[in-house]
Amino acid sequence: APSSPKLARRLIADWRLPPDRVRVLPNPHNADIRLLRLPPPDGARTIGFYSSVRLFKGIHVLVDAMRRVFARHPDTRLLIAGQSASSPVADTSWGAFLGDRMIVWRDTLDWLRPRIARFGGRVEIRGFVSPKDVPDYLGSIDIAVFPSLFDNFPGACLEAMTSARAIVATRSGGMEEMLGEDDGGLLVPPGG
């Protein structure tokens, strides 16, 4: 069951399900008190990606966008946190996923490393962040970016919101509902 009304509507439309057969189950978030105690950032120098490192999470879109960010703001850094896993590196669209057309799989970080290398020390790969270390990671970034091509209702976004980080996220899945239209963060189209 989806935890987002937007995704429920998508399931009903894409899979032609009867609306009365789809239930939205809320994603409860019990805020870690350490996140609530983090001071708000005093600038916007460190951008953080915090999720599983897979292409459907849009990490490749973020890495490509960082070229423009670094050109305009050379003192900016990108921290990538999350466990890498195999991802399709051919067509990563929602339609391709539903049509079972994602045929080339590789470890995401292995595939991304040549793209990241051009940035030198401005990109740091932190790897998996254990739940007990999430407050330290979020305390080390100023902006949390969630560039997912499709997603449900990511807990990482809720944790970033709890820690008073600025958020840039895509209008995919539940993030649009989570962040709202006006004040929760900057929403952009998936892949753009």
PDB file of all heavy atoms in Angstrom, residues 154-167:
ATOM      1  N   PRO A 154       9.646   9.191   1.328  1.00  0.00           N
ATOM      2  CA  PRO A 154      10.924   8.845   1.956  1.00  0.00           C
ATOM      3  C   PRO A 154      11.113   9.402   3.366  1.00  0.00           C
ATOM      4  O   PRO A 154      10.962  10.595   3.604  1.00  0.00           O
ATOM      5  CB  PRO A 154      11.964   9.420   0.999  1.00  0.00           C
ATOM      6  CG  PRO A 154      11.241  10.428   0.195  1.00  0.00           C
ATOM      7  CD  PRO A 154       9.806  10.052   0.168  1.00  0.00           C
ATOM      8  N   GLY A 155      11.461   8.489   4.260  1.00  0.00           N
ATOM      9  CA  GLY A 155      11.758   8.878   5.627  1.00  0.00           C
ATOM     10  C   GLY A 155      12.947   9.820   5.721  1.00  0.00           C
ATOM     11  O   GLY A 155      13.006  10.662   6.615  1.00  0.00           O
ATOM     12  N   ALA A 156      13.908   9.696   4.800  1.00  0.00           N
ATOM     13  CA  ALA A 156      15.080  10.579   4.824  1.00  0.00           C
ATOM     14  C   ALA A 156      14.656  12.034   4.665  1.00  0.00           C
ATOM     15  O   ALA A 156      15.232  12.932   5.298  1.00  0.00           O
ATOM     16  CB  ALA A 156      16.056  10.181   3.719  1.00  0.00           C
ATOM     17  N   CYS A 157      13.652  12.291   3.849  1.00  0.00           N
ATOM     18  CA  CYS A 157      13.157  13.660   3.676  1.00  0.00           C
ATOM     19  C   CYS A 157      12.516  14.161   4.972  1.00  0.00           C
ATOM     20  O   CYS A 157      12.727  15.304   5.376  1.00  0.00           O
ATOM     21  CB  CYS A 157      12.177  13.724   2.501  1.00  0.00           C
ATOM     22  SG  CYS A 157      11.691  15.410   2.053  1.00  0.00           S
ATOM     23  N   LEU A 158      11.774  13.292   5.634  1.00  0.00           N
ATOM     24  CA  LEU A 158      11.181  13.672   6.924  1.00  0.00           C
ATOM     25  C   LEU A 158      12.268  13.988   7.947  1.00  0.00           C
ATOM     26  O   LEU A 158      12.156  14.939   8.727  1.00  0.00           O
ATOM     27  CB  LEU A 158      10.279  12.552   7.444  1.00  0.00           C
ATOM     28  CG  LEU A 158       8.978  12.332   6.690  1.00  0.00           C
ATOM     29  CD1 LEU A 158       8.300  11.051   7.175  1.00  0.00           C
ATOM     30  CD2 LEU A 158       8.050  13.514   6.838  1.00  0.00           C
ATOM     31  N   GLU A 159      13.341  13.197   7.953  1.00  0.00           N
ATOM     32  CA  GLU A 159      14.441  13.455   8.885  1.00  0.00           C
ATOM     33  C   GLU A 159      15.122  14.783   8.574  1.00  0.00           C
ATOM     34  O   GLU A 159      15.462  15.540   9.491  1.00  0.00           O
ATOM     35  CB  GLU A 159      15.450  12.303   8.834  1.00  0.00           C
ATOM     36  CG  GLU A 159      14.905  11.033   9.442  1.00  0.00           C
ATOM     37  CD  GLU A 159      15.787   9.830   9.216  1.00  0.00           C
ATOM     38  OE1 GLU A 159      16.511   9.770   8.197  1.00  0.00           O
ATOM     39  OE2 GLU A 159      15.744   8.926  10.075  1.00  0.00           O
ATOM     40  N   ALA A 160      15.306  15.091   7.294  1.00  0.00           N
ATOM     41  CA  ALA A 160      15.922  16.370   6.924  1.00  0.00           C
ATOM     42  C   ALA A 160      15.021  17.538   7.334  1.00  0.00           C
ATOM     43  O   ALA A 160      15.510  18.570   7.818  1.00  0.00           O
ATOM     44  CB  ALA A 160      16.202  16.400   5.426  1.00  0.00           C
ATOM     45  N   MET A 161      13.720  17.374   7.151  1.00  0.00           N
ATOM     46  CA  MET A 161      12.790  18.413   7.587  1.00  0.00           C
ATOM     47  C   MET A 161      12.871  18.607   9.094  1.00  0.00           C
ATOM     48  O   MET A 161      12.894  19.735   9.583  1.00  0.00           O
ATOM     49  CB  MET A 161      11.360  18.043   7.184  1.00  0.00           C
ATOM     50  CG  MET A 161      11.107  18.075   5.702  1.00  0.00           C
ATOM     51  SD  MET A 161       9.506  17.374   5.239  1.00  0.00           S
ATOM     52  CE  MET A 161       8.382  18.562   5.955  1.00  0.00           C
ATOM     53  N   THR A 162      12.943  17.503   9.831  1.00  0.00           N
ATOM     54  CA  THR A 162      13.016  17.548  11.291  1.00  0.00           C
ATOM     55  C   THR A 162      14.272  18.282  11.748  1.00  0.00           C
ATOM     56  O   THR A 162      14.264  18.963  12.766  1.00  0.00           O
ATOM     57  CB  THR A 162      12.997  16.116  11.870  1.00  0.00           C
ATOM     58  OG1 THR A 162      11.804  15.465  11.432  1.00  0.00           O
ATOM     59  CG2 THR A 162      13.046  16.116  13.375  1.00  0.00           C
ATOM     60  N   SER A 163      15.350  18.171  10.966  1.00  0.00           N
ATOM     61  CA  SER A 163      16.627  18.774  11.363  1.00  0.00           C
ATOM     62  C   SER A 163      16.800  20.201  10.845  1.00  0.00           C
ATOM     63  O   SER A 163      17.886  20.762  10.941  1.00  0.00           O
ATOM     64  CB  SER A 163      17.784  17.898  10.893  1.00  0.00           C
ATOM     65  OG  SER A 163      17.865  17.909   9.487  1.00  0.00           O
ATOM     66  N   ALA A 164      15.746  20.789  10.292  1.00  0.00           N
ATOM     67  CA  ALA A 164      15.758  22.185   9.827  1.00  0.00           C
ATOM     68  C   ALA A 164      16.741  22.423   8.677  1.00  0.00           C
ATOM     69  O   ALA A 164      17.305  23.491   8.551  1.00  0.00           O
ATOM     70  CB  ALA A 164      16.029  23.154  10.978  1.00  0.00           C
ATOM     71  N   ARG A 165      16.939  21.404   7.829  1.00  0.00           N
ATOM     72  CA  ARG A 165      17.776  21.590   6.641  1.00  0.00           C
ATOM     73  C   ARG A 165      16.906  22.144   5.520  1.00  0.00           C
ATOM     74  O   ARG A 165      15.728  21.804   5.407  1.00  0.00           O
ATOM     75  CB  ARG A 165      18.375  20.264   6.144  1.00  0.00           C
ATOM     76  CG  ARG A 165      19.233  19.490   7.120  1.00  0.00           C
ATOM     77  CD  ARG A 165      20.406  20.277   7.649  1.00  0.00           C
ATOM     78  NE  ARG A 165      20.069  20.711   9.007  1.00  0.00           N
ATOM     79  CZ  ARG A 165      20.910  21.292   9.848  1.00  0.00           C
ATOM     80  NH1 ARG A 165      22.136  21.545   9.503  1.00  0.00           N
ATOM     81  NH2 ARG A 165      20.521  21.658  11.045  1.00  0.00           N
ATOM     82  N   ALA A 166      17.488  22.969   4.677  1.00  0.00           N
ATOM     83  CA  ALA A 166      16.805  23.398   3.456  1.00  0.00           C
ATOM     84  C   ALA A 166      16.670  22.165   2.568  1.00  0.00           C
ATOM     85  O   ALA A 166      17.550  21.306   2.557  1.00  0.00           O
ATOM     86  CB  ALA A 166      17.615  24.472   2.748  1.00  0.00           C
ATOM     87  N   ILE A 167      15.560  22.065   1.833  1.00  0.00           N
ATOM     88  CA  ILE A 167      15.304  20.862   1.037  1.00  0.00           C
ATOM     89  C   ILE A 167      14.995  21.235  -0.398  1.00  0.00           C
ATOM     90  O   ILE A 167      14.200  22.135  -0.665  1.00  0.00           O
ATOM     91  CB  ILE A 167      14.134  20.055   1.640  1.00  0.00           C
ATOM     92  CG1 ILE A 167      14.518  19.565   3.035  1.00  0.00           C
ATOM     93  CG2 ILE A 167      13.753  18.885   0.735  1.00  0.00           C
ATOM     94  CD1 ILE A 167      13.405  18.920   3.792  1.00  0.00           C
TER      95      ILE A 167
END
